[in-house]
Amino acid sequence: MVRLLMWDVDRTLLVGGGVGVEAYAAAFTAVTGLPWAGALVAAGRTDLEITPELFALHGIPDATPHIDGFFTRYASEFDARSHLMRVQGRLLPGVADVLAALHARPGVVQTLVTGNITAIGIAKVGVFGLEQYLDTTIGAYGDDHAVRSELVWRCRKRAEAAHGPFADEDVVVIGDTVHDVAAALTAGVMAVGVATGATPAAALTAAGAHHVLDDLGDVEEVVALLAG
């Protein structure tokens, strides 16, 4: 393989329409017995980073004993609501066509590097049929590690075990936040920012992204860039 593409999920590939937040809140109450009173600001961060903070905000200073059970319940609550994403959520411009075209390119492997826990990251892309273009088994997820750059390292290690070595310049992180850009730069690989989230293009450029796209709508241009 000659090119490894690591896709962020939320606000890069799709908009979830609040379904993940609803599932998160329901899981929190089910596991702790406490009413949800938090605000889930997850953009670019991992679930393992966010969850202890939110438990602390609800008066639980040590989330460690709850994490495994909470993530299991979170996945269950999301599964029960995933059909709502087809109504409340949407794919972002060009996404399906870009992933399909890249999947057809020899030597290109695509996967996920997302702050979502494994079950939910894979389920979100599955709602819109994107899983057929992605090798999710080599991805890295928000229950692997709290630090996003570590997810890039882990994904690369898994990908190289399955597909052989990739040059640094042929490993590409695509995401919509400065956290995605910083993770790529820390891991020594290429960062492509997509200004489809809350972070403007100028901020992604300032964070050091090698390339910044307004969206994925120009399929031919995006495929040419990402396929190298």
mmCIF file of all heavy atoms in Angstrom, residues 76-117:
data_model
loop_
_atom_site.group_PDB
_atom_site.id
_atom_site.type_symbol
_atom_site.label_atom_id
_atom_site.label_comp_id
_atom_site.label_asym_id
_atom_site.label_seq_id
_atom_site.Cartn_x
_atom_site.Cartn_y
_atom_site.Cartn_z
ATOM 1 N N SER A 76 -24.806 0.839 23.666
ATOM 2 C CA SER A 76 -26.164 0.290 23.616
ATOM 3 C C SER A 76 -27.202 1.373 23.375
ATOM 4 O O SER A 76 -28.127 1.210 22.565
ATOM 5 C CB SER A 76 -26.465 -0.455 24.917
ATOM 6 O OG SER A 76 -27.788 -0.922 24.939
ATOM 7 N N GLU A 77 -27.066 2.489 24.068
ATOM 8 C CA GLU A 77 -28.004 3.595 23.896
ATOM 9 C C GLU A 77 -27.908 4.180 22.488
ATOM 10 O O GLU A 77 -28.926 4.552 21.885
ATOM 11 C CB GLU A 77 -27.733 4.690 24.941
ATOM 12 C CG GLU A 77 -27.995 4.284 26.384
ATOM 13 C CD GLU A 77 -29.476 4.182 26.716
ATOM 14 O OE1 GLU A 77 -30.312 4.620 25.907
ATOM 15 O OE2 GLU A 77 -29.793 3.666 27.807
ATOM 16 N N PHE A 78 -26.690 4.232 21.955
ATOM 17 C CA PHE A 78 -26.551 4.737 20.590
ATOM 18 C C PHE A 78 -27.188 3.783 19.588
ATOM 19 O O PHE A 78 -27.888 4.209 18.659
ATOM 20 C CB PHE A 78 -25.087 4.962 20.232
ATOM 21 C CG PHE A 78 -24.916 5.555 18.862
ATOM 22 C CD1 PHE A 78 -24.963 6.926 18.682
ATOM 23 C CD2 PHE A 78 -24.746 4.744 17.740
ATOM 24 C CE1 PHE A 78 -24.849 7.479 17.417
ATOM 25 C CE2 PHE A 78 -24.628 5.287 16.480
ATOM 26 C CZ PHE A 78 -24.675 6.654 16.311
ATOM 27 N N ASP A 79 -26.946 2.501 19.777
ATOM 28 C CA ASP A 79 -27.523 1.511 18.874
ATOM 29 C C ASP A 79 -29.040 1.627 18.820
ATOM 30 O O ASP A 79 -29.648 1.506 17.750
ATOM 31 C CB ASP A 79 -27.107 0.106 19.320
ATOM 32 C CG ASP A 79 -27.594 -0.967 18.365
ATOM 33 O OD1 ASP A 79 -27.194 -0.941 17.190
ATOM 34 O OD2 ASP A 79 -28.385 -1.830 18.795
ATOM 35 N N ALA A 80 -29.647 1.896 19.975
ATOM 36 C CA ALA A 80 -31.107 2.022 20.029
ATOM 37 C C ALA A 80 -31.614 3.259 19.305
ATOM 38 O O ALA A 80 -32.794 3.318 18.922
ATOM 39 C CB ALA A 80 -31.565 2.056 21.490
ATOM 40 N N ARG A 81 -30.741 4.235 19.104
ATOM 41 C CA ARG A 81 -31.142 5.499 18.469
ATOM 42 C C ARG A 81 -30.528 5.708 17.086
ATOM 43 O O ARG A 81 -30.804 6.708 16.437
ATOM 44 C CB ARG A 81 -30.693 6.680 19.352
ATOM 45 C CG ARG A 81 -31.364 6.766 20.709
ATOM 46 C CD ARG A 81 -30.644 7.782 21.593
ATOM 47 N NE ARG A 81 -31.361 8.057 22.818
ATOM 48 C CZ ARG A 81 -31.356 7.256 23.878
ATOM 49 N NH1 ARG A 81 -30.642 6.123 23.844
ATOM 50 N NH2 ARG A 81 -32.045 7.562 24.951
ATOM 51 N N SER A 82 -29.695 4.800 16.643
ATOM 52 C CA SER A 82 -28.919 5.054 15.435
ATOM 53 C C SER A 82 -29.789 5.336 14.217
ATOM 54 O O SER A 82 -29.391 6.102 13.327
ATOM 55 C CB SER A 82 -27.991 3.872 15.136
ATOM 56 O OG SER A 82 -28.731 2.681 14.921
ATOM 57 N N HIS A 83 -30.983 4.764 14.182
ATOM 58 C CA HIS A 83 -31.881 5.016 13.047
ATOM 59 C C HIS A 83 -32.260 6.496 12.938
ATOM 60 O O HIS A 83 -32.588 6.988 11.852
ATOM 61 C CB HIS A 83 -33.146 4.166 13.173
ATOM 62 C CG HIS A 83 -33.978 4.502 14.372
ATOM 63 N ND1 HIS A 83 -33.642 4.124 15.660
ATOM 64 C CD2 HIS A 83 -35.135 5.215 14.482
ATOM 65 C CE1 HIS A 83 -34.550 4.567 16.503
ATOM 66 N NE2 HIS A 83 -35.465 5.234 15.816
ATOM 67 N N LEU A 84 -32.196 7.208 14.059
ATOM 68 C CA LEU A 84 -32.560 8.621 14.057
ATOM 69 C C LEU A 84 -31.547 9.472 13.293
ATOM 70 O O LEU A 84 -31.874 10.565 12.828
ATOM 71 C CB LEU A 84 -32.684 9.134 15.490
ATOM 72 C CG LEU A 84 -33.777 8.494 16.351
ATOM 73 C CD1 LEU A 84 -33.688 8.985 17.782
ATOM 74 C CD2 LEU A 84 -35.148 8.769 15.755
ATOM 75 N N MET A 85 -30.324 8.960 13.162
ATOM 76 C CA MET A 85 -29.315 9.733 12.441
ATOM 77 C C MET A 85 -29.685 9.926 10.978
ATOM 78 O O MET A 85 -29.297 10.912 10.363
ATOM 79 C CB MET A 85 -27.948 9.058 12.542
ATOM 80 C CG MET A 85 -27.199 9.402 13.819
ATOM 81 S SD MET A 85 -25.494 8.770 13.814
ATOM 82 C CE MET A 85 -24.785 9.669 12.444
ATOM 83 N N ARG A 86 -30.436 8.984 10.431
ATOM 84 C CA ARG A 86 -30.828 9.117 9.026
ATOM 85 C C ARG A 86 -31.785 10.296 8.828
ATOM 86 O O ARG A 86 -31.901 10.836 7.732
ATOM 87 C CB ARG A 86 -31.476 7.821 8.537
ATOM 88 C CG ARG A 86 -30.542 6.629 8.543
ATOM 89 C CD ARG A 86 -31.194 5.405 7.924
ATOM 90 N NE ARG A 86 -30.336 4.241 8.044
ATOM 91 C CZ ARG A 86 -30.380 3.380 9.047
ATOM 92 N NH1 ARG A 86 -31.258 3.552 10.016
ATOM 93 N NH2 ARG A 86 -29.560 2.357 9.087
ATOM 94 N N VAL A 87 -32.478 10.667 9.905
ATOM 95 C CA VAL A 87 -33.429 11.774 9.853
ATOM 96 C C VAL A 87 -32.795 13.061 10.370
ATOM 97 O O VAL A 87 -32.877 14.111 9.742
ATOM 98 C CB VAL A 87 -34.692 11.443 10.672
ATOM 99 C CG1 VAL A 87 -35.661 12.610 10.658
ATOM 100 C CG2 VAL A 87 -35.354 10.180 10.135
ATOM 101 N N GLN A 88 -32.133 12.967 11.522
ATOM 102 C CA GLN A 88 -31.577 14.144 12.174
ATOM 103 C C GLN A 88 -30.181 14.521 11.669
ATOM 104 O O GLN A 88 -29.754 15.667 11.787
ATOM 105 C CB GLN A 88 -31.507 13.906 13.686
ATOM 106 C CG GLN A 88 -32.857 13.708 14.339
ATOM 107 C CD GLN A 88 -32.776 13.322 15.807
ATOM 108 O OE1 GLN A 88 -33.684 12.676 16.356
ATOM 109 N NE2 GLN A 88 -31.701 13.708 16.470
ATOM 110 N N GLY A 89 -29.471 13.551 11.120
ATOM 111 C CA GLY A 89 -28.112 13.785 10.664
ATOM 112 C C GLY A 89 -28.011 13.807 9.154
ATOM 113 O O GLY A 89 -29.001 13.709 8.437
ATOM 114 N N ARG A 90 -26.785 13.919 8.665
ATOM 115 C CA ARG A 90 -26.566 13.955 7.215
ATOM 116 C C ARG A 90 -25.083 13.762 6.916
ATOM 117 O O ARG A 90 -24.221 14.035 7.761
ATOM 118 C CB ARG A 90 -27.013 15.295 6.628
ATOM 119 C CG ARG A 90 -26.307 16.502 7.229
ATOM 120 C CD ARG A 90 -26.879 17.823 6.744
ATOM 121 N NE ARG A 90 -26.346 18.947 7.483
ATOM 122 C CZ ARG A 90 -25.226 19.604 7.192
ATOM 123 N NH1 ARG A 90 -24.524 19.233 6.131
ATOM 124 N NH2 ARG A 90 -24.811 20.618 7.920
ATOM 125 N N LEU A 91 -24.819 13.269 5.701
ATOM 126 C CA LEU A 91 -23.458 13.271 5.199
ATOM 127 C C LEU A 91 -23.087 14.683 4.754
ATOM 128 O O LEU A 91 -23.936 15.433 4.264
ATOM 129 C CB LEU A 91 -23.318 12.325 4.006
ATOM 130 C CG LEU A 91 -23.239 10.830 4.295
ATOM 131 C CD1 LEU A 91 -23.106 10.069 2.980
ATOM 132 C CD2 LEU A 91 -22.077 10.500 5.213
ATOM 133 N N LEU A 92 -21.835 15.020 4.869
ATOM 134 C CA LEU A 92 -21.359 16.310 4.401
ATOM 135 C C LEU A 92 -21.059 16.244 2.900
ATOM 136 O O LEU A 92 -20.922 15.159 2.323
ATOM 137 C CB LEU A 92 -20.142 16.725 5.214
ATOM 138 C CG LEU A 92 -20.518 17.133 6.653
ATOM 139 C CD1 LEU A 92 -19.307 17.160 7.558
ATOM 140 C CD2 LEU A 92 -21.232 18.481 6.663
ATOM 141 N N PRO A 93 -20.984 17.399 2.231
ATOM 142 C CA PRO A 93 -20.856 17.414 0.763
ATOM 143 C C PRO A 93 -19.677 16.610 0.244
ATOM 144 O O PRO A 93 -18.548 16.739 0.738
ATOM 145 C CB PRO A 93 -20.672 18.904 0.454
ATOM 146 C CG PRO A 93 -21.341 19.620 1.581
ATOM 147 C CD PRO A 93 -21.089 18.763 2.790
ATOM 148 N N GLY A 94 -19.949 15.779 -0.750
ATOM 149 C CA GLY A 94 -18.916 15.039 -1.451
ATOM 150 C C GLY A 94 -18.396 13.798 -0.773
ATOM 151 O O GLY A 94 -17.637 13.024 -1.382
ATOM 152 N N VAL A 95 -18.783 13.557 0.469
ATOM 153 C CA VAL A 95 -18.153 12.501 1.263
ATOM 154 C C VAL A 95 -18.270 11.123 0.619
ATOM 155 O O VAL A 95 -17.272 10.418 0.444
ATOM 156 C CB VAL A 95 -18.735 12.489 2.693
ATOM 157 C CG1 VAL A 95 -18.384 11.196 3.424
ATOM 158 C CG2 VAL A 95 -18.217 13.687 3.481
ATOM 159 N N ALA A 96 -19.471 10.705 0.297
ATOM 160 C CA ALA A 96 -19.649 9.357 -0.244
ATOM 161 C C ALA A 96 -18.873 9.173 -1.547
ATOM 162 O O ALA A 96 -18.234 8.132 -1.764
ATOM 163 C CB ALA A 96 -21.135 9.062 -0.454
ATOM 164 N N ASP A 97 -18.907 10.174 -2.419
ATOM 165 C CA ASP A 97 -18.212 10.071 -3.701
ATOM 166 C C ASP A 97 -16.696 10.053 -3.526
ATOM 167 O O ASP A 97 -15.983 9.317 -4.213
ATOM 168 C CB ASP A 97 -18.619 11.220 -4.618
ATOM 169 C CG ASP A 97 -20.055 11.107 -5.115
ATOM 170 O OD1 ASP A 97 -20.597 9.978 -5.113
ATOM 171 O OD2 ASP A 97 -20.635 12.140 -5.487
ATOM 172 N N VAL A 98 -16.194 10.863 -2.593
ATOM 173 C CA VAL A 98 -14.754 10.884 -2.337
ATOM 174 C C VAL A 98 -14.282 9.546 -1.790
ATOM 175 O O VAL A 98 -13.286 8.973 -2.263
ATOM 176 C CB VAL A 98 -14.392 12.033 -1.368
ATOM 177 C CG1 VAL A 98 -12.978 11.858 -0.818
ATOM 178 C CG2 VAL A 98 -14.513 13.377 -2.070
ATOM 179 N N LEU A 99 -14.968 9.015 -0.788
ATOM 180 C CA LEU A 99 -14.552 7.740 -0.201
ATOM 181 C C LEU A 99 -14.641 6.611 -1.214
ATOM 182 O O LEU A 99 -13.753 5.745 -1.266
ATOM 183 C CB LEU A 99 -15.386 7.422 1.043
ATOM 184 C CG LEU A 99 -14.753 7.852 2.374
ATOM 185 C CD1 LEU A 99 -14.599 9.365 2.443
ATOM 186 C CD2 LEU A 99 -15.549 7.344 3.561
ATOM 187 N N ALA A 100 -15.684 6.624 -2.030
ATOM 188 C CA ALA A 100 -15.828 5.577 -3.044
ATOM 189 C C ALA A 100 -14.699 5.654 -4.068
ATOM 190 O O ALA A 100 -14.114 4.622 -4.457
ATOM 191 C CB ALA A 100 -17.180 5.700 -3.740
ATOM 192 N N ALA A 101 -14.374 6.856 -4.516
ATOM 193 C CA ALA A 101 -13.320 7.018 -5.516
ATOM 194 C C ALA A 101 -11.957 6.617 -4.961
ATOM 195 O O ALA A 101 -11.148 5.979 -5.647
ATOM 196 C CB ALA A 101 -13.293 8.456 -6.014
ATOM 197 N N LEU A 102 -11.688 6.985 -3.723
ATOM 198 C CA LEU A 102 -10.420 6.620 -3.104
ATOM 199 C C LEU A 102 -10.337 5.116 -2.868
ATOM 200 O O LEU A 102 -9.268 4.507 -3.014
ATOM 201 C CB LEU A 102 -10.242 7.378 -1.791
ATOM 202 C CG LEU A 102 -9.955 8.868 -1.937
ATOM 203 C CD1 LEU A 102 -10.147 9.590 -0.614
ATOM 204 C CD2 LEU A 102 -8.537 9.107 -2.471
ATOM 205 N N HIS A 103 -11.443 4.518 -2.502
ATOM 206 C CA HIS A 103 -11.485 3.066 -2.282
ATOM 207 C C HIS A 103 -11.126 2.315 -3.568
ATOM 208 O O HIS A 103 -10.531 1.235 -3.520
ATOM 209 C CB HIS A 103 -12.882 2.669 -1.806
ATOM 210 C CG HIS A 103 -13.041 1.209 -1.532
ATOM 211 N ND1 HIS A 103 -12.401 0.570 -0.500
ATOM 212 C CD2 HIS A 103 -13.782 0.253 -2.162
ATOM 213 C CE1 HIS A 103 -12.739 -0.703 -0.491
ATOM 214 N NE2 HIS A 103 -13.568 -0.933 -1.496
ATOM 215 N N ALA A 104 -11.470 2.887 -4.707
ATOM 216 C CA ALA A 104 -11.196 2.254 -6.003
ATOM 217 C C ALA A 104 -9.751 2.449 -6.456
ATOM 218 O O ALA A 104 -9.323 1.820 -7.430
ATOM 219 C CB ALA A 104 -12.151 2.811 -7.055
ATOM 220 N N ARG A 105 -9.008 3.328 -5.777
ATOM 221 C CA ARG A 105 -7.625 3.596 -6.169
ATOM 222 C C ARG A 105 -6.697 2.497 -5.624
ATOM 223 O O ARG A 105 -6.677 2.249 -4.411
ATOM 224 C CB ARG A 105 -7.158 4.940 -5.607
ATOM 225 C CG ARG A 105 -7.773 6.165 -6.265
ATOM 226 C CD ARG A 105 -7.190 6.384 -7.641
ATOM 227 N NE ARG A 105 -7.666 7.625 -8.233
ATOM 228 C CZ ARG A 105 -6.955 8.746 -8.318
ATOM 229 N NH1 ARG A 105 -5.732 8.786 -7.829
ATOM 230 N NH2 ARG A 105 -7.461 9.822 -8.889
ATOM 231 N N PRO A 106 -5.915 1.856 -6.478
ATOM 232 C CA PRO A 106 -4.934 0.880 -5.981
ATOM 233 C C PRO A 106 -3.946 1.537 -5.026
ATOM 234 O O PRO A 106 -3.495 2.660 -5.259
ATOM 235 C CB PRO A 106 -4.229 0.415 -7.261
ATOM 236 C CG PRO A 106 -5.176 0.741 -8.374
ATOM 237 C CD PRO A 106 -5.897 1.992 -7.940
ATOM 238 N N GLY A 107 -3.641 0.848 -3.942
ATOM 239 C CA GLY A 107 -2.633 1.341 -3.019
ATOM 240 C C GLY A 107 -3.120 2.292 -1.956
ATOM 241 O O GLY A 107 -2.340 2.731 -1.117
ATOM 242 N N VAL A 108 -4.409 2.622 -1.963
ATOM 243 C CA VAL A 108 -4.963 3.526 -0.953
ATOM 244 C C VAL A 108 -5.767 2.717 0.061
ATOM 245 O O VAL A 108 -6.635 1.924 -0.320
ATOM 246 C CB VAL A 108 -5.866 4.602 -1.591
ATOM 247 C CG1 VAL A 108 -6.537 5.447 -0.508
ATOM 248 C CG2 VAL A 108 -5.055 5.487 -2.524
ATOM 249 N N VAL A 109 -5.468 2.912 1.330
ATOM 250 C CA VAL A 109 -6.266 2.291 2.387
ATOM 251 C C VAL A 109 -6.834 3.403 3.254
ATOM 252 O O VAL A 109 -6.131 4.356 3.605
ATOM 253 C CB VAL A 109 -5.444 1.284 3.221
ATOM 254 C CG1 VAL A 109 -4.263 1.935 3.911
ATOM 255 C CG2 VAL A 109 -6.323 0.579 4.241
ATOM 256 N N GLN A 110 -8.114 3.293 3.571
ATOM 257 C CA GLN A 110 -8.805 4.311 4.365
ATOM 258 C C GLN A 110 -9.300 3.697 5.665
ATOM 259 O O GLN A 110 -9.792 2.560 5.685
ATOM 260 C CB GLN A 110 -10.004 4.861 3.602
ATOM 261 C CG GLN A 110 -9.672 5.483 2.267
ATOM 262 C CD GLN A 110 -10.897 6.042 1.572
ATOM 263 O OE1 GLN A 110 -11.245 7.200 1.752
ATOM 264 N NE2 GLN A 110 -11.573 5.215 0.776
ATOM 265 N N THR A 111 -9.222 4.470 6.731
ATOM 266 C CA THR A 111 -9.709 4.009 8.021
ATOM 267 C C THR A 111 -10.170 5.209 8.837
ATOM 268 O O THR A 111 -10.272 6.328 8.326
ATOM 269 C CB THR A 111 -8.627 3.201 8.749
ATOM 270 O OG1 THR A 111 -9.196 2.582 9.914
ATOM 271 C CG2 THR A 111 -7.441 4.074 9.144
ATOM 272 N N LEU A 112 -10.472 4.976 10.096
ATOM 273 C CA LEU A 112 -10.955 6.015 11.001
ATOM 274 C C LEU A 112 -9.948 6.286 12.108
ATOM 275 O O LEU A 112 -9.384 5.354 12.684
ATOM 276 C CB LEU A 112 -12.281 5.592 11.653
ATOM 277 C CG LEU A 112 -13.456 5.296 10.728
ATOM 278 C CD1 LEU A 112 -14.659 4.825 11.548
ATOM 279 C CD2 LEU A 112 -13.819 6.505 9.885
ATOM 280 N N VAL A 113 -9.731 7.544 12.410
ATOM 281 C CA VAL A 113 -9.101 7.974 13.661
ATOM 282 C C VAL A 113 -10.043 9.007 14.251
ATOM 283 O O VAL A 113 -10.146 10.126 13.767
ATOM 284 C CB VAL A 113 -7.691 8.546 13.443
ATOM 285 C CG1 VAL A 113 -7.187 9.215 14.720
ATOM 286 C CG2 VAL A 113 -6.737 7.433 13.034
ATOM 287 N N THR A 114 -10.758 8.609 15.280
ATOM 288 C CA THR A 114 -11.852 9.409 15.819
ATOM 289 C C THR A 114 -11.865 9.372 17.330
ATOM 290 O O THR A 114 -11.460 8.381 17.938
ATOM 291 C CB THR A 114 -13.206 8.887 15.274
ATOM 292 O OG1 THR A 114 -14.281 9.558 15.941
ATOM 293 C CG2 THR A 114 -13.363 7.388 15.484
ATOM 294 N N GLY A 115 -12.359 10.452 17.923
ATOM 295 C CA GLY A 115 -12.506 10.486 19.372
ATOM 296 C C GLY A 115 -13.656 9.652 19.881
ATOM 297 O O GLY A 115 -13.771 9.404 21.086
ATOM 298 N N ASN A 116 -14.528 9.200 18.992
ATOM 299 C CA ASN A 116 -15.612 8.302 19.378
ATOM 300 C C ASN A 116 -15.061 6.964 19.850
ATOM 301 O O ASN A 116 -14.057 6.475 19.312
ATOM 302 C CB ASN A 116 -16.524 8.015 18.177
ATOM 303 C CG ASN A 116 -17.354 9.194 17.753
ATOM 304 O OD1 ASN A 116 -18.332 9.547 18.405
ATOM 305 N ND2 ASN A 116 -16.983 9.811 16.635
ATOM 306 N N ILE A 117 -15.732 6.329 20.807
ATOM 307 C CA ILE A 117 -15.370 4.964 21.140
ATOM 308 C C ILE A 117 -15.590 4.084 19.908
ATOM 309 O O ILE A 117 -16.330 4.432 18.993
ATOM 310 C CB ILE A 117 -16.149 4.430 22.352
ATOM 311 C CG1 ILE A 117 -17.660 4.347 22.083
ATOM 312 C CG2 ILE A 117 -15.857 5.261 23.594
ATOM 313 C CD1 ILE A 117 -18.444 3.639 23.185
#
